[in-house]
Amino acid sequence: MADWVQSFEEYAQKLLEEAKVTGTAVGLAEQGVLRYFHGFGLADDTEDAKALTPDTVFGIGSVTKSFTCVAIMQLQDAGKLSVHDPVIKYLPELRTPNEAYTREITIQHLMTHTAGFPPLDTLAGAMKRSIVEGGDDLSSSSSLAFDLEKVEEINTKEEFMTYIGKLNYEFLGAPGTEFSYSNDSYAMLGLIIERVSGIAYEQFVQDHILVPAGMKNSAFLVEDLPEEAEVATLFTRKSPKDGGEVYRSPSWWDSPSMRAAGFLKSTIHDLLRYTEIFRTGGLVGENRLLSSESVQDLTAPHVSISPFQAYGYGLFVANCHDGTLIEHGGAIKGVAAQIFVLPERGLTGAVLMNTDGGPMADLMHGILNATNGRSPDTVPFEYSDYEISVDALAAFTGEYRSSEGATVSVEIEENQLVAKSNGANIPLRSVGEDSFVMKRGETDMFIHFVRNEAGVVTRMGFGARQLIKVLAEKEQTV
């Protein structure tokens, strides 16, 4: 493998310097054996900062979602639930604005982000206590765009369910028909795991995944790690409109009510053990964590989300790099993480950063390209141009919002659509009817617009979430 190392490391170093990432750990295993590790930068920016190792602890954000789905499938393997069970069987207190849809939502819908929920504002409230205690200033942060004073604090799973039940929103569609990335769905999965197993979600993950997989330096809370564990310091950045400056921000954000959505911490060594589940069909060494049938279900393309990409259970699935790429990323303050598996090539890997907004997906594609004899910057998906008249572009312009705090303004500049968000202006390239791509780092990110029955554009698929267009009254029926 040595021939590719220099080209990959030069590529990685350039991207990481441009993104101002303090520390990055990259690991790649072949047939379960570590073949490559490199630490770019350091675990901190102090004079005595330590070099990164395969055992340095980082946050992994939404990579946690795959652990939650593994736990659900373990319970199904044990005959304690079915992914096709209605959610209200386990969460009878669930209330939504549509009672009929409430009864239709299944566990599988939660796992595939297809319950029909639009992005909701629960995560800010669920993290509020840790943000306040850490003294973080969100006024110019790129991590979360909320006025915390107006956010209701949510500290328990019971408070989460009560809060969800009070919200007024419109479903994106009937359960199973619309994909929109949902942290709330995964919070509910965590509560289902607790009620079915009879123990805390965190304890279930510890007992049934971390321990049997030999993940000794992984935990939801830093204080639960071994005393000798070396933990990378967190860095965050200001929004582009405030200069994008990277600065030290060592406090961890936490959410006791929503840990199943993204708050695990881990290492390269541990994640390479964990990803063996998806390479081997359920085994980590000699320990079977899942049946091969459950692994097939986890990694099956249950819902298409772009011409090249689908979602399984807590995992993205795509055909690229001469195989089936199974992967998931994670991002939150001080965290940019990526796991990936390419079973046909026997490869598993992980990328961990202690700075949010880092190019973790680009490094994943870069190392898979380099190990396959390609230039690291080769794009994984080729989107062809789609001709669209300048007049037709007007239908997509406007402001799109989500209750999670995202606001995207779409405008026409020099006869081209441009998405403006948080001080960044991003050109959109037409690739299909109502479909565009934008550059996210080195890779094209797919964007689609949704029309109502009258043909009016009402939503925008952006960052795997559906944002709602702020419609003028005259637009709603035109």
Side-chain angles (χ1 to χ4, degrees):
M1 279 192 176
D3 292 346
W4 57 266
V5 171
Q6 183 175 351
S7 67
F8 168 70
E9 291 185 356
E10 288 175 354
Y11 171 76
Q13 193 67 53
K14 175 176 176 290
L15 291 185
L16 293 169
E17 286 177 1
E18 289 174 354
K20 304 174 185 176
V21 176
T22 304
T24 301
V26 181
L28 186 73
E30 184 178 27
Q31 306 300 338
V33 178
L34 181 66
R35 296 298 189 193
Y36 174 82
F37 172 81
H38 191 82
F40 298 86
L42 300 170
D44 205 339
D45 63 352
T46 58
E47 287 186 8
D48 59 349
K50 294 184 178 180
L52 300 171
T53 76
D55 294 315
T56 303
V57 178
F58 294 78
I60 67 169
S62 284
V63 172
T64 307
K65 289 182 170 68
S66 65
F67 287 77
T68 299
C69 287
V70 167
I72 288 286
M73 298 308 285
Q74 288 176 328
L75 290 170
Q76 179 171 273
D77 281 348
K80 295 184 177 181
L81 58 70
S82 165
V83 298
H84 303 295
D85 287 340
V87 168
I88 57 171
K89 178 178 180 179
Y90 307 101
L91 307 181
E93 73 272 38
L94 176 62
R95 299 288 181 272
T96 80
N98 188 317
E99 288 186 19
Y101 285 176
T102 304
R103 292 191 295 272
E104 292 177 21
I105 299 170
T106 66
I107 292 174
Q108 185 186 58
H109 293 144
L110 300 181
M111 297 165 80
T112 56
H113 304 284
T114 59
F117 301 127
L120 302 175
D121 66 357
T122 47
L123 186 60
M127 296 192 300
K128 181 173 180 177
R129 176 173 291 182
S130 64
I131 295 172
V132 172
E133 289 177 352
D136 288 307
D137 177 13
L138 299 185
S139 61
S140 64
S141 170
S142 65
S143 299
L144 197 66
F146 270 101
D147 180 353
L148 268 192
E149 290 185 3
K150 298 178 181 178
V151 171
E152 182 176 329
E153 195 170 303
I154 303 169
N155 291 314
T156 68
K157 295 180 178 68
E158 291 72 27
E159 288 176 1
F160 168 85
M161 293 301 297
T162 299
Y163 183 84
I164 283 280
K166 295 188 299 184
L167 295 177
N168 184 26
Y169 54 88
E170 190 173 321
F171 272 76
L172 300 172
T177 64
E178 296 286 341
F179 174 90
S180 185
Y181 196 85
S182 172
N183 286 307
D184 306 287
S185 293
Y186 274 74
M188 293 180 203
L189 289 172
L191 184 51
I192 290 171
I193 290 166
E194 290 195 352
R195 291 187 175 172
V196 172
S197 69
I199 60 175
Y201 163 79
E202 297 88 343
Q203 191 65 51
F204 188 92
V205 171
Q206 172 76 15
D207 294 347
H208 295 270
I209 303 176
L210 303 184
V211 170
M215 300 174 69
K216 298 177 181 178
N217 290 301
S218 299
F220 285 92
L221 299 175
V222 170
E223 50 264 38
D224 291 338
L225 292 166
E227 286 186 21
E228 66 276 11
E230 294 183 3
V231 182
T233 300
L234 304 185
F235 289 78
T236 191
R237 65 182 72 231
K238 293 185 177 178
S239 66
K241 66 182 179 183
D242 291 303
E245 174 195 349
V246 170
Y247 59 96
R248 200 170 187 269
S249 183
S251 64
W252 291 86
W253 287 358
D254 185 31
S255 169
S257 63
M258 298 182 73
R259 286 191 186 131
F263 292 88
L264 192 59
K265 291 139 188 77
S266 193
T267 70
I268 292 292
H269 264 156
D270 280 5
L271 290 174
L272 292 179
R273 293 185 179 97
Y274 170 68
T275 48
E276 282 293 279
I277 294 171
F278 312 111
R279 184 186 72 83
T280 64
L283 291 169
V284 180
E286 296 182 356
N287 290 337
R288 177 162 291 282
L289 276 70
L290 273 181
S291 67
S292 59
E293 293 81 8
S294 285
V295 175
Q296 288 175 6
D297 286 344
L298 278 160
T299 58
H302 291 286
V303 54
S304 175
I305 57 178
S306 82
F308 298 100
Q309 198 173 35
Y311 202 84
Y313 294 161
L315 294 162
F316 290 92
V317 184
N319 292 319
C320 58
H321 300 294
D322 298 334
T324 304
L325 177 63
I326 301 159
E327 54 93 2
H328 209 287
I332 198 169
K333 189 201 82 167
V335 173
Q338 188 80 44
I339 60 167
F340 55 96
V341 183
L342 205 60
E344 293 90 342
R345 290 171 55 189
L347 297 178
T348 59
V351 178
L352 297 174
M353 303 180 187
N354 64 348
T355 310
D356 52 66
M360 67 276 195
D362 287 337
L363 296 196
M364 169 182 71
H365 291 303
I367 199 166
L368 290 173
N369 278 325
T371 55
N372 210 21
R374 299 188 177 110
S375 173
D377 62 0
T378 304
V379 294
F381 314 122
E382 291 275 4
Y383 287 94
S384 299
D385 288 333
Y386 179 87
E387 196 165 324
I388 184 171
S389 69
V390 175
D391 290 342
L393 295 178
F396 307 107
T397 60
E399 187 169 275
Y400 299 80
R401 296 177 186 166
S402 84
S403 295
E404 274 187 319
T407 299
V408 178
S409 177
V410 178
E411 302 174 12
I412 298 174
E413 292 185 355
E414 298 181 359
N415 295 330
Q416 183 179 25
L417 277 191
V418 176
K420 299 185 176 184
S421 177
N422 215 9
N425 293 357
I426 312 157
L428 304 184
R429 177 168 66 90
S430 177
V431 297
E433 187 175 355
D434 296 342
S435 299
F436 297 79
V437 293
M438 58 173 266
K439 279 288 184 187
R440 174 174 275 182
E442 301 294 299
T443 307
D444 284 330
M445 185 179 87
F446 185 72
I447 289 171
H448 73 282
F449 292 86
V450 179
R451 297 177 186 265
N452 64 12
E453 291 179 359
V456 176
V457 173
T458 56
R459 303 199 297 265
M460 175 189 192
F462 183 89
R465 291 158 169 83
Q466 292 201 34
L467 278 58
I468 312 301
K469 186 177 182 181
V470 181
L471 289 174
E473 189 172 330
K474 64 178 181 179
E475 288 182 288
Q476 297 179 26
T477 55
V478 173

